[in-house]
Structures are given as structure tokens and as C-alpha cells.
Amino acid sequence: MQSPFFHKIFLSGLVLFSLTSVFAQDEDVTSFDDLIESEEPSTPAAESSTQNESSEAPVNASTASADEDVTVLDGLSVETEEEAAQKAQAKKVESVASIDAAEMQNTSKTVSKAINSSSGVKVRKSGGMGSDGKINIRGMEGKNIKVLVNGIPVETQGNLGLDDIPIEQIADIEVYKGYIPARFATDGAGGAINIITKKRPTNSVDAAYSFSSYNTHKASVSASHTIDSLVNGSSLELGVSGYFNHSDNDYEFTSPYMKSASGKDTSVVRDHNKYTSYNVQAFANWMNFWFDNISLGASYGANEKEIQGTEYRILYTNAEGYNFGSNFGLSKKDFFLKDLGFNNNFSFGYAENKITDTSKIHCRSWTVCDTSSKNLGELIAMGLPKLRTVEIYDFNDALNLDYQFLKNQFIYWNTLFRFHKENPEDDFGSEAAGFNTAGYPGKTYSLTTGLSLENKFWNDKLQNLIGIKFHYLKAEISSTGTSMLNAAEIESNDYKNLSYDESILYQVLEPLAIKASYQHAVRLPTPDELFGDGIKVSAATGLKPEEADNFNIGISLDWMQVPLITRLRFDGDVFYSYYKNRIHYLSATQMAVPYTNMAPIRGWGYEGDVKVDVNEWVLLGTNFTFQDLRNIDYIAKQGIPKDAIMPNIPRFFMNYLAEFHMGDLVNSGDFLKIWWGANFTDEYYYGWKISSRQNRKIEASFSQDIGIEYSIWENKLAWSFEVDNFLDAESYDNYGESKPGRTFATKIRYSFH
């Protein structure tokens, strides 16, 4: 049952839409970007290409929403070829929501902020910049959701964080809900986020700097230069890019772990929470020399992070890491045969991550700390110090072929091979404890290969896509069994699984389409789940892959001939999922335990997204999501009854948007945008809901953001100012930890080409 607060918000939204529609003028607009479920307009082979080969983003367009494309103003811009292609791809059978990140390049938004305003998606973080974050799609989160960059899983690309990539270097963000196409040769049970980076314009420089609350700085720069008329008319593109991020993250927060004398949550300042990261990369693309593109790239990145406590204070523990990466890619449209597309990308990465936890001070709460004559460490309840370093080696090869064998009949073959090796060491902790505190080396070999067939009939009114993927994982795990004092023995596990999917689209009328899809999905265990960490997490030699059966049916409406308004768009979906062997970690205070598989989980829900282009100046939008996840069987080990609602997952939430934009305001080529956005999240539970009398709830929250953006010289120079949560409302996230209150951000960006 929804709270009265939610009903007030929902009714207010309806009134807002009604009043605006009545007083709106019916005026024409030159062209529109496609707002609902658009896709990258390239072939699947191109979609899996390297970062330097991704599609170029449109320039000088207004943003319709925090998560999708927008109205292009008459006289301000014309529709580019890419925008037209995106429009056509919106009718494609794949169910995907496209977030046009290029439209947010002048703002201080992050990837998390962009996707968090989409229906069915929640990004919940444990702190500010650099903190751990979980992407929740339709109730499934964490490792169930695959994050990819240009079609390649992000875990193969070093210490890359979700919000480390500057928004101005991203062209598009694709959100797949309960579905991962076979053309992405990867596993995953809950969905995927695919970040598509920009292809830089020829001979260009793009630089940006933003400053925001809590001493947060973000800077980025990218540049490219093309040398034409080389051998046989080929050309060479050279480029560099980089970013720098820093934040003190010293905001005040409340936590359910810290109680006052009256039993209420107390507030403290996160005083050990600084984060710094940077990355530099260089690339070379040799174009039109037999291969359409031969690419070579190299990168170096590093980060430092102070570890912040929530249950008790942490004063000295830190994490840091660095990584090297290199890649070599080949792509060609007509590879020996006409209409046969070929793309292959090989990459190698080396990373080293370190945790320093050797303090003699250990806090039992936020105010009570003890000093010892020995190095006890702060993170481990067992009182073991740690100076743990993990070396990580990654080899990856992605092969993609696509072939049009008949008109509107396509076949795709996509394969990803990965070798992953970890070598942990902790001489300091092992000597103090008398046994290995770092864990043991481990290796994994994995292969995912997918074959899919796409058919289009009756002028694309009926479209069908069917695919199958084979997953193989071989893990060599060092395990000490039930006692860390035992000698480690290598155990080898082989995993073989099939996933498959079927999607269909039927264009009932010109503005109305019906979509349906089913996927049997597989998520293989990750190295950290299999290997453990040597102390709190032991090796899980018997862990099973997760499996999910995901169903979805929805409608898509794009109506241009609506009385009194310019355009109405609506997307609605009903979904059902059955999850088996969900991988879960149940911590224990004084012993190391492995990840285990849970009892089956059943989930269902519905979501909707509405956009109204009132006229060429005003756009309104809202979306809503309801999701219900429950365990199916009684879990005796954890005392969880049958049909209990899963904890710490929001069940109902809504997003709102109102935007005003105008071009040629002061001078020709300038552009002004003023926007308001809001999020409502209904109350949900800390733990498993087993009774209606439970009072440990995460309270409902309603936060509002406002912002202004102004650009001149056809978007070459831009400035923005934003206020998040401008009413300073208290809102909550992971396990009831409050998020930052009112924050400010300003950004300046210069683009030359």
C-alpha cells in the first residue's frame, strides 16, 4: 500500500500535465530526437568496437530529460544523420532505453545521476564520489547488472569506476532491463548498462572543469588530430584524453547503526572519505588501409581512497590502486564477402590494488576508540592487521561478425574470451597472525559465444530477434577448506551453461508498437566470489551460476497529432522474473565464510514513462516503477519465511522533469536551458519483511534539483549551475544511510573543432 505522500505527488503530476496542455500553443517543430527506447545506429560489429570507434554525438541540442533525447529547436539545430538513424532504430525489436549523455555534456552530472532518473533503475551508493555503488534494475542489483563500455565488460578494463568517465566524453548510455542481447558476448541475469564513448571530431579539443560542494573537482580534456593522404588514400588519427577527479566527501550523514540516548539515528561528518582518481590514454587509428580501421591504444590510471566507516569510525585505513591497459583492434565492413562486417579487439590489462589497514587504534563506535600496543587494524573484527596487495592480469579478445544474407535478414556471431589471474600478498599481516591473511592465487578462463538471427517483415512492421549464448568458465581456486591453518589445495571447477532469448515487435499503427521478450539468462560467479579475500571471505569452490527467466511485454506510443500539444510519448512495461541460485554473502563476525547460493526469488512489476512536448520551448516528463521481489521457499539457515519481501530494495519510485529551453536569445547561436527535476521513493524495509508490524523502515523521500545552462558560439563555450536537493530534504539510500543534503555544482566547458 502506497503512502499518502505518494498519492499527493502523483496527483500533482497529473494536474501539472493537464494545466500545461490546456494553455499550450500548437506550434510546429523542425525535428525531434527520438526519446523512447532508441539505440545506437551502427551495426552490431560497430557497437562492440573500441572506445575510439564509437559514434559521434550530436552537438547543440537541448536536453529533454535527465535520461533521454530531446526536442531539437527550430532555427537552432537541424537533425543530424545520427539523430535520424537513432529515430529509425527506436522501432527496432530490442527493448532498450537510450540516454543521450551528449545532451548532458555541459552539466556536472555523472553516469549514476543520468541513469538514476530512468524508470526501473536505481543507483544506490554508500557515499560520495568514488564510493561503492550498486545499480538496481527491476529489483536485481550488483553483479547481476553488467556494465559495459562500447560493448566490452568494464571489469576487463582495470580500476574503472562507473562515475570516473567524464560525461562530456560519452555519447550515449544504453539501459537493458532484464535482458542482455546475444551480440554482447557476456553473462548477466538482471540487465546491462552499455556506455558508448564519443568519436572525437577531426582536429578537435574538448576541455571541461567543474567545481561542487565538499571540495569536489572534476577536470577532463580530449584532443585529436588527423593526417590525411597517406598510403593508398588512407588517413591516420592520433588522439589523447584524460580526466582528474577529487572530492573530500566530508558531508554530514545519519546512520541506523549510530543511536542517540533516545534511540534515534544520529548525524556525524564523514571525516575520512577523500577520493582521488585520474586516467590518461592515447590512441591511433589508421583508417581505410584495407581494414576500415586499425586501432592501437594505451592507458594508465590510478586512484586513492580513504575508507569511511558507517557502523563505527575508521581513522587511518586506505585503499589505492593503479592499472595499465593496451588494446589492438581491427574492423572492416565488407570482410571478404559483401555485407559481412568484421570487428576484433584484443586487450591486455595489469592492475595492482592495495589496502593498508595497520593502525593500532580501533574504534568500537563513532566516539569510543581504543589504542593498543600492537597493530590491530580497523576493518577486521578478528583483530588482524592487513597490508594486502593484489596483482591482477587480464587478457581479453572480442570477435564480432555480422552478415546480411538476404534483404532485412541478419545473422550475428559474437565471442569474448577472457583470462583472469589474481595474485594476493600480505607479508605484514601473515607474519603477525601466523597464517596467510591475503588469500591465495586464482585463475579463471572464460568463453562466451553468441549467435543471433534478426528478421524484418512487412516494411519493418513485424520484427523478430532470436539468440543463444554458450557460457564456459574454468576456475582454479586455492582453498584451505574449513581452517585457514591448513595447507591450500587447488580445486578446479568447470561451468557450462546456455542462455537464450526471443524478442518480437509489431507496429500496430504508425504511432503504436507492441513489444514482448523472454530471456533465460545466466550469471557466472566472479573471481572475488570464487577466490575470497583470505580473512572474511573464504573460497567458494562449490558456487553455482545464477539463472533467471525474464519475461517482458510492453507498448510504445509516439503520437504527433495530439490536440493542444506538439507531441506525446509513452512507454509502458509489465515484467516477471524467476531467479535461481542467486549468489549472496552472509557475513559472520568471528569466522570466514564463502559466498553461497540462495533459494529462488520471484519478481514482478510494472513501469511507465511519459513525455509531453508542450511546444518548442517546454517539455514535461514523468516515469514510475513498481517492483516486488520475494523469496519462494523457506530459508532455514537464515530464518526467512516463505514469500518474504526482499530487504533494502525500493518498491516504488517516480521521477519528474520540467524543462524550458530557447535558442538565439541574445546572439545567434546561443542557447539557454532551465530545468527542474525531482525524485520520489516510497518507504521500504531494512531487513526481510516478515510482518506488517515491522518498524525498521527506510522512510519515503522526495528530493528536487534545479539547474541552468547557457552556451554560445553554437555550443563551443558553455556554462552551467546546478543545485541538487535544493530544499535540503533528508533522503536515504543504502541500508538507511542518508545521502548528502543540498549541494551546488558549476561547470565550464570549451570545445573547438
Side-chain angles (χ1 to χ4, degrees):
M1 182 175 181
Q2 308 302 339
S3 67
F5 183 52
F6 151 69
H7 292 292
K8 293 179 183 179
I9 299 301
F10 184 72
L11 290 174
S12 299
L14 291 178
V15 171
L16 178 62
F17 274 101
S18 302
L19 290 176
T20 310
S21 301
V22 169
F23 293 103
Q25 299 179 15
D26 186 10
E27 300 188 5
D28 294 331
V29 177
T30 301
S31 63
F32 294 90
D33 287 337
D34 211 28
L35 244 166
I36 308 294
E37 296 195 341
S38 62
E39 287 190 277
E40 183 190 7
S42 56
T43 64
E47 289 174 340
S48 298
S49 63
T50 63
Q51 294 185 13
N52 303 318
E53 299 172 289
S54 57
S55 58
E56 181 179 350
V59 178
N60 199 24
S62 61
T63 303
S65 75
D67 63 329
E68 298 185 20
D69 299 353
V70 338
T71 306
V72 177
L73 301 180
D74 185 21
L76 178 64
S77 177
V78 295
E79 189 176 62
T80 66
E81 291 182 3
E82 181 182 354
E83 290 165 339
Q86 285 181 337
K87 211 169 177 182
Q89 291 294 327
K91 298 180 180 179
K92 200 174 179 182
V93 63
E94 281 185 354
S95 180
V96 54
S98 182
I99 302 170
D100 192 348
E103 302 297 349
M104 293 177 277
Q105 60 188 340
N106 296 333
T107 72
S108 300
K109 294 186 186 299
T110 62
V111 174
S112 295
K113 187 76 174 178
I115 64 179
N116 202 45
S117 56
S118 178
S119 62
V121 182
K122 273 286 186 184
V123 181
R124 298 184 300 137
K125 305 189 70 174
S126 59
M129 177 188 290
S131 62
D132 295 333
K134 290 185 178 180
I135 302 174
N136 185 301
I137 297 181
R138 292 179 174 176
M140 298 307 293
E141 65 182 11
K143 297 182 177 69
N144 289 287
I145 310 302
K146 282 293 179 179
V147 178
L148 309 105
V149 176
N150 299 317
I152 305 298
V154 73
E155 65 258 28
T156 69
Q157 303 183 38
N159 299 317
L160 188 63
L162 181 65
D163 290 334
D164 282 335
I165 307 175
I167 199 75
E168 57 270 13
Q169 295 183 9
I170 300 173
D172 200 15
I173 305 172
E174 297 173 333
V175 181
Y176 297 85
K177 304 172 186 177
Y179 170 79
I180 301 179
R183 60 188 173 84
F184 293 149
T186 185
D187 60 329
I193 304 293
N194 184 33
I195 300 171
I196 303 171
T197 57
K198 285 184 183 178
K199 177 173 175 58
R200 302 166 184 85
T202 302
N203 302 324
S204 66
V205 176
D206 194 316
Y209 170 75
S210 69
F211 173 76
S212 53
S213 300
Y214 311 115
N215 195 31
T216 300
H217 304 263
K218 300 176 68 176
S220 72
V221 63
S222 62
S224 67
H225 177 69
T226 301
I227 305 172
D228 295 317
S229 303
L230 296 178
V231 181
N232 296 329
S234 62
S235 59
L236 178 65
E237 181 187 19
L238 303 173
V240 294
S241 66
Y243 62 77
F244 172 83
N245 301 317
H246 172 81
S247 180
D248 289 348
N249 289 323
D250 52 347
Y251 63 89
E252 186 177 272
F253 81 111
T254 62
S255 171
Y257 305 109
M258 297 176 289
K259 301 293 184 180
S260 65
S262 61
K264 295 183 178 180
D265 294 351
T266 58
S267 297
V268 294
V269 174
R270 303 176 75 99
D271 57 355
H272 191 254
N273 204 26
K274 290 181 182 178
Y275 176 77
T276 302
S277 70
Y278 61 89
N279 181 276
V280 179
Q281 56 182 319
F283 71 90
N285 290 329
W286 192 4
M287 297 169 288
N288 302 318
F289 184 70
W290 200 81
F291 284 97
D292 295 334
N293 191 57
I294 302 173
S295 64
L296 181 65
S299 66
Y300 173 79
N303 64 76
E304 297 179 4
K305 177 183 177 181
E306 294 179 340
I307 296 179
Q308 175 70 56
T310 53
E311 298 184 47
Y312 54 86
R313 195 173 191 177
I314 294 177
L315 298 173
Y316 300 106
T317 303
N318 299 288
E320 59 184 297
Y322 68 89
N323 62 276
F324 295 96
S326 62
N327 69 279
F328 174 71
L330 300 170
S331 64
K332 189 173 179 59
K333 290 182 180 178
D334 297 312
F335 186 65
F336 293 114
L337 296 176
K338 181 177 174 56
D339 296 325
L340 176 62
F342 165 85
N343 178 271
N344 189 83
N345 186 68
F346 171 81
S347 65
F348 163 74
Y350 171 80
E352 185 173 299
N353 298 323
K354 179 188 291 185
I355 292 181
T356 303
D357 179 25
T358 59
S359 172
K360 295 182 178 181
I361 297 177
H362 181 81
C363 297
R364 291 178 282 125
S365 66
W366 202 262
T367 57
V368 180
C369 298
D370 301 322
T371 302
S372 172
S373 59
K374 298 181 179 180
N375 301 89
L376 296 177
E378 298 180 276
L379 295 180
I380 306 304
M382 297 160 64
L384 299 176
K386 295 183 74 174
L387 188 60
R388 186 175 189 255
T389 300
V390 183
E391 294 180 326
I392 302 174
Y393 300 86
D394 252 307
F395 295 87
N396 306 275
D397 189 75
L399 173 64
N400 305 281
L401 297 173
D402 62 278
Y403 181 55
Q404 180 175 288
F405 57 94
L406 292 172
K407 184 179 180 181
N408 292 329
Q409 312 295 310
F410 306 86
I411 189 167
Y412 312 120
W413 181 39
N414 309 89
T415 300
L416 176 64
F417 169 79
R418 183 186 184 192
F419 168 76
H420 179 91
K421 178 183 178 181
E422 293 187 6
N423 183 32
E425 293 183 357
D426 184 5
D427 294 338
F428 181 87
S430 299
E431 182 180 354
F435 58 86
N436 185 0
T437 62
Y440 296 93
K443 301 177 184 177
T444 61
Y445 307 82
S446 64
L447 175 70
T448 298
T449 182
L451 191 67
S452 52
L453 178 67
E454 182 179 7
N455 312 102
K456 301 179 181 180
F457 307 99
W458 306 335
N459 295 322
D460 294 350
K461 286 189 175 181
L462 178 64
Q463 302 180 40
N464 188 77
L465 181 66
I466 187 170
I468 186 170
K469 285 189 285 189
F470 171 73
H471 307 273
Y472 173 75
L473 173 67
K474 178 182 178 63
E476 295 182 2
I477 308 169
S478 299
S479 175
T480 57
T482 58
S483 173
M484 290 181 288
L485 299 177
N486 294 339
E489 297 182 0
I490 296 178
E491 298 187 25
S492 180
N493 278 15
D494 285 23
Y495 301 91
K496 301 181 183 70
N497 292 84
L498 284 176
S499 62
Y500 39 87
D501 58 85
E502 162 68 22
S503 302
I504 190 168
L505 175 146
Y506 179 62
Q507 197 79 28
V508 180
L509 299 169
E510 181 60 30
L512 179 64
I514 299 176
K515 291 183 178 183
S517 66
Y518 162 73
Q519 182 170 58
H520 176 76
V522 170
R523 204 272 282 181
L524 300 174
T526 60
D528 61 313
E529 293 168 337
L530 291 169
F531 302 155
D533 67 359
I535 293 294
K536 294 296 291 181
V537 184
S538 57
T541 56
L543 203 58
K544 299 178 182 178
E546 294 183 349
E547 297 181 54
D549 291 289
N550 300 319
F551 300 84
N552 185 86
I553 185 169
I555 62 171
S556 180
L557 176 68
D558 190 348
W559 194 5
M560 301 288 290
Q561 305 298 325
V562 187
L564 301 177
I565 62 175
T566 301
R567 190 182 188 190
L568 170 66
R569 286 153 288 180
F570 173 75
D571 267 273
D573 295 273
V574 177
F575 54 90
Y576 174 87
S577 299
Y578 178 86
Y579 300 95
K580 182 181 177 182
N581 295 327
R582 180 171 177 264
I583 297 173
H584 176 72
Y585 180 72
L586 181 64
S587 62
T589 303
Q590 296 294 331
M591 62 181 296
V593 296
Y595 280 88
T596 58
N597 294 106
M598 288 188 63
I601 299 292
R602 186 269 301 150
W604 78 278
Y606 52 83
E607 62 187 37
D609 196 310
V610 182
K611 293 290 185 299
V612 175
D613 291 285
V614 179
N615 50 43
E616 72 265 40
W617 301 303
V618 179
L619 180 137
L620 301 174
T622 186
N623 61 56
F624 57 88
T625 303
F626 172 79
Q627 53 197 23
D628 182 274
L629 278 81
R630 301 169 185 258
N631 71 303
I632 294 178
D633 297 327
Y634 170 66
I635 306 177
K637 183 185 295 186
Q638 301 176 32
I640 300 172
K642 182 179 179 181
D643 207 36
I645 296 175
M646 285 194 67
N648 198 36
I649 294 178
R651 304 191 70 216
F652 185 88
F653 51 91
M654 295 186 71
N655 296 290
Y656 306 87
L657 178 79
E659 183 181 293
F660 171 82
H661 34 66
M662 180 177 294
D664 298 336
L665 186 65
V666 179
N667 297 296
S668 177
D670 68 358
F671 174 67
L672 173 70
K673 178 175 66 178
I674 302 172
W675 56 269
W676 167 86
N679 170 264
F680 167 76
T681 302
D682 202 9
E683 65 180 20
Y684 54 102
Y685 290 90
Y686 284 112
W688 290 88
K689 183 186 176 183
I690 57 178
S691 169
S692 59
R693 297 182 179 181
Q694 284 178 240
N695 57 9
R696 291 202 70 198
K697 299 177 182 179
I698 299 174
E699 297 178 1
S701 61
F702 182 64
S703 62
Q704 304 177 69
D705 307 331
I706 55 175
I708 183 171
E709 174 187 334
Y710 182 67
S711 63
I712 58 176
W713 305 333
E714 297 183 345
N715 204 34
K716 287 184 173 63
L717 181 63
W719 167 83
S720 66
F721 182 77
E722 305 158 52
V723 184
D724 285 357
N725 192 8
F726 72 91
L727 292 182
D728 203 23
E730 193 167 47
S731 58
Y732 298 87
D733 216 336
N734 190 46
Y735 279 108
E737 299 167 21
S738 66
K739 295 190 286 188
R742 183 189 299 114
T743 59
F744 304 86
T746 187
K747 178 177 178 178
I748 187 168
R749 174 177 172 268
Y750 176 73
S751 178
F752 169 81
H753 57 85

